[in-house]
Structure formats: structure tokens, C-alpha cells
Amino acid sequence: MTDRTAHPPTPPAGSPALRMTVLVGEQDVWHHRPLYAEIVHRARAAGLAGASVFRGVEGFGATSLIHTQRLLSLSEELPVAVIVVDTEERVRAFLPQLSELLAGGGLVTLDPCEMIAFRGRADRTAGGEDTQG
């Protein structure tokens, strides 16, 4: 008798990548547009693999002033992190655009990582649209 137990599929192989984290303030703008949105749209236009924005609940930067979302402080300048992942070559090629955007301040960190792309998400949504932001 054969074993009919289903085995999970093997995940795709990973490839070396670079994770770029751009730290800015929530209220930072570029030509009347949120700076984090400008970074995401430029990353997409540059053909980078993906970008996501995360809003912090508390933090401080160069001024050492603590910004928090706690009700009593009513801060509107919360930290925002834009995470971009792609090959090292492509991420580093994007850095000159950040130099222009971050002239008013910001911090960029670069970390080596492994990228594993699971394809086919667009096939599972109605109308075939990719819903990943």
C-alpha cells in the first residue's frame, strides 16, 4: 500500500538581496506629496521588486524629541519606515534618487537578506489584478 499523505510543496529557492529601510517623518513632504509616497512611487518607476510603508507608534530622530501616538501627546510627526527589497545592484542604483528626496533629512539603512519570491498572487484575485501594495 502506498503512503497517500500530502507533502507540502518545496518553497522556491532564495536569492541574495538587499533590504533598504528609509526612515522619515510622517509629515515630511516632497512637492506637496507625502515623502514616503514619493519614495514608493519612484521605487516602482525604477522597477524595484517591492516597497512597503510602515507607520511607527513612537520614536525619535536627530532632534531627540520623542514622537508618540499616545492620546495625551497628540503627535502628528510619527516615524515612518519605507522598506524596499531587491538585488543589491538595483537598490544601490536607486540611492541617488533618495539623496535628492532626503536633502531635508532622513536615514537609510542597508541590510543583506535573502529574497524568496512566491509567484502567482495575481492569479488568485478577481479580475487578475495584483493587489499587493
Side-chain angles (χ1 to χ4, degrees):
M1 186 171 248
T2 60
D3 182 10
R4 296 187 185 255
T5 305
H7 296 285
T10 304
S15 59
L18 196 63
R19 177 180 48 237
M20 176 177 63
T21 304
V22 184
L23 301 168
V24 296
E26 182 178 31
Q27 299 297 316
D28 293 346
V29 295
W30 176 262
H31 296 276
H32 308 290
R33 179 184 210 174
L35 180 57
Y36 60 84
E38 184 66 22
I39 294 168
V40 168
H41 286 264
R42 286 194 185 198
R44 183 172 186 239
L48 294 172
S52 297
V53 178
F54 299 91
R55 183 176 186 236
V57 296
E58 187 167 74
F60 70 92
T63 64
S64 293
L65 294 173
I66 293 181
H67 303 282
T68 180
Q69 74 171 11
R70 286 181 279 173
L71 184 60
L72 295 176
S73 66
L74 299 174
S75 177
E76 293 182 354
E77 184 59 7
L78 293 170
V80 174
V82 181
I83 311 291
V84 177
V85 177
D86 206 322
T87 64
E88 181 172 357
E89 178 181 291
R90 293 178 70 146
V91 169
R92 290 192 183 277
F94 185 68
L95 289 174
Q97 289 196 55
L98 285 180
S99 180
E100 175 189 10
L101 294 174
L102 299 179
L107 177 70
V108 176
T109 63
L110 300 172
D111 302 291
C113 64
E114 183 177 2
M115 182 168 52
I116 302 173
F118 292 87
R119 303 288 182 206
R121 180 176 176 153
D123 295 336
R124 293 190 298 262
T125 62
E129 295 178 10
D130 186 355
T131 59
Q132 185 172 357

